[in-house]
Amino acid sequence: MILIISNNNERTTIVIIKWLLAMKKKFIRIHEDEIFEIKTENKKIFLESNRSSFFLDEITSVWYRRGRLNIKRLRYDNTSVNAHMNEVQHWLEDYVRTKLESRKHISKESNSDINKLLVLEEAIKVGLEVPKYFLADNTDQVSLNTTIVKTIGGNPILDDIDTDLNGIMYTSTVHKREKMKFFTTFFQHKIDKEFEIRTFYLNGKCYSMAIFSQNDEQTKTDFRKYNLEKPNRNIPYLLSVDIEEKIHLLMQTLDLNCGSLDFIKGKDGKFYFLEVNTIGQFLGLSHTCNYSLDKEIADYL
């Protein structure tokens, strides 16, 4: 049986589930608001929520999409007993999660968040080109108009920044200096680009798309500032064998078998690695380039 861990109403999950149904594959989907208890039945570990249940040894493959496997912790009045039982429950939960991640899988909850700074260091080690970057709490040594600022964290979304409103932090060019110091920030040399490349990686294979965002002022610095009236031109793209081998080595180093990677093709002819998203959206890339990635994932599971 396939175990799917995802958020409620997550569109990509729904698309994959349609394929699983067509393929008559058995699956169980865990939602973000489910809380499971670890039980035993007939000497087997059994997980149960108010919505679903499954035996641990029933699961043959796992697709971690979003959210997490929430497990209820019992609490005890006696402080010493509570401390001891908290440790006991921790190791039981750890066993369950480890066993699930040892199954055939696509992505894992345990490394769904990775450190961008460490990723860039590993990318350099495997031989990928990375634009020069540095951390600073002021703009005294920042080269204006040729330096961009990005978030250190992988998630640029600001949930509920205002009433019923989320926000997103876009990549921006630094045009003027700040008078005051600020929290340590990620600065990077701005690459004069020909186009951008989004690569979806799945079990050793790369599926790439070129994004011609540089001719539109709205998307020039960050293609996520989508121009809905005049969308960027996107076409299938084939990276060199050398770069794909380095991508594979990087993903192995990071213990990732799935994710989206961003590159820039510079006007100097070099391909610059920017970052990897361990979850990543791929339906748009798949549809545009006719890669059928939704079917690929369903087939693998």
Side-chain angles (χ1 to χ4, degrees):
M1 182 183 291
I2 301 164
L3 179 67
I4 301 172
I5 304 173
S6 183
N7 287 348
N8 299 344
N9 301 316
E10 207 275 327
R11 187 168 67 95
T12 302
T13 306
I14 295 170
V15 173
I16 303 299
I17 284 176
K18 289 180 179 179
W19 274 110
L20 295 177
L21 290 170
M23 295 174 180
K24 300 187 184 320
K25 290 189 175 185
K26 292 183 178 181
F27 66 90
I28 181 171
R29 175 181 179 175
I30 289 177
H31 296 72
E32 63 196 50
D33 54 358
E34 279 187 270
I35 300 177
F36 284 83
E37 290 186 60
I38 301 176
K39 300 182 177 182
T40 57
E41 186 174 312
N42 297 324
K43 299 181 180 179
K44 296 180 179 180
I45 292 180
F46 181 74
L47 278 77
E48 184 177 45
S49 73
N50 60 359
R51 179 183 292 155
S52 51
S53 61
F54 60 92
F55 284 98
L56 185 60
D57 61 5
E58 282 184 317
I59 303 303
T60 55
S61 60
V62 180
W63 180 35
Y64 174 78
R65 178 60 187 166
R66 296 187 187 278
R68 66 189 304 268
L69 175 62
N70 294 304
I71 299 175
K72 181 180 179 180
R73 281 275 178 99
L74 299 176
R75 299 186 181 278
Y76 299 83
D77 293 335
N78 184 284
T79 303
S80 295
V81 171
N82 191 63
H84 171 74
M85 290 306 297
N86 197 52
E87 182 178 355
V88 170
Q89 290 177 94
H90 161 75
W91 290 118
L92 184 57
E93 292 171 17
D94 182 69
Y95 175 78
V96 168
R97 296 180 196 278
T98 301
K99 291 298 290 183
L100 287 174
E101 292 191 352
S102 71
R103 305 286 196 266
K104 183 168 68 170
H105 65 273
I106 296 178
S107 300
K108 297 190 292 189
E109 180 183 338
S110 62
N111 63 358
S112 58
D113 291 317
I114 54 176
N115 190 310
K116 180 177 179 176
L117 300 176
L118 294 177
V119 170
L120 291 176
E121 290 181 3
E122 293 299 332
I124 293 170
K125 288 179 184 178
V126 302
L128 289 170
E129 293 281 351
V130 174
K132 291 182 179 180
Y133 64 92
F134 61 93
L135 300 177
D137 61 1
N138 61 75
T139 54
D140 295 350
Q141 295 180 301
V142 172
S143 299
L144 300 182
N145 303 316
T146 61
T147 304
I148 58 174
V149 59
K150 303 174 72 173
T151 173
I152 292 177
N155 183 10
I157 304 296
L158 298 174
D159 292 325
D160 302 320
I161 193 171
D162 204 347
T163 304
D164 298 323
L165 183 66
N166 294 339
I168 184 168
M169 293 178 285
Y170 292 107
T171 300
S172 303
T173 304
V174 182
H175 295 296
K176 63 179 183 179
R177 304 195 189 281
E178 298 291 332
K179 296 179 181 180
M180 306 284 289
K181 283 192 173 184
F182 40 79
F183 188 81
T184 301
T185 299
F186 182 89
F187 294 94
Q188 192 168 47
H189 176 65
K190 184 178 182 179
I191 301 299
D192 193 12
K193 66 182 178 182
E194 284 188 26
F195 51 86
E196 298 180 53
I197 301 165
R198 166 64 59 87
T199 298
F200 185 71
Y201 176 91
L202 180 62
N203 292 320
K205 293 182 66 176
C206 293
Y207 305 84
S208 298
M209 177 177 74
I211 306 168
F212 294 89
S213 57
Q214 74 283 359
N215 295 324
D216 189 326
E217 286 300 320
Q218 182 172 322
T219 61
K220 191 172 185 178
T221 304
D222 192 329
F223 80 88
R224 294 172 303 169
K225 291 184 176 180
Y226 305 113
N227 186 336
L228 299 179
E229 294 184 3
K230 188 180 179 182
N232 294 152
R233 179 175 175 238
N234 301 324
I235 62 170
Y237 192 81
L238 185 63
L239 289 167
S240 69
V241 173
D242 177 62
I243 293 178
E244 288 197 351
E245 287 177 346
K246 289 172 180 175
I247 289 173
H248 181 57
L249 184 55
L250 174 63
M251 297 298 274
Q252 284 188 313
T253 302
L254 300 174
D255 189 26
L256 299 172
N257 71 342
C258 180
S260 294
L261 301 94
D262 290 331
F263 290 85
I264 285 178
K265 168 70 182 305
K267 290 186 177 178
D268 58 4
K270 295 180 180 180
F271 290 82
Y272 293 91
F273 169 77
L274 301 180
E275 60 189 344
V276 58
N277 183 328
T278 60
I279 304 300
Q281 297 295 347
F282 58 84
L283 289 182
L285 177 151
S286 179
H287 176 74
T288 299
C289 302
N290 199 29
Y291 287 143
S292 299
L293 292 173
D294 44 355
K295 185 176 183 297
E296 288 282 338
I297 288 176
D299 275 333
Y300 179 77
L301 294 171

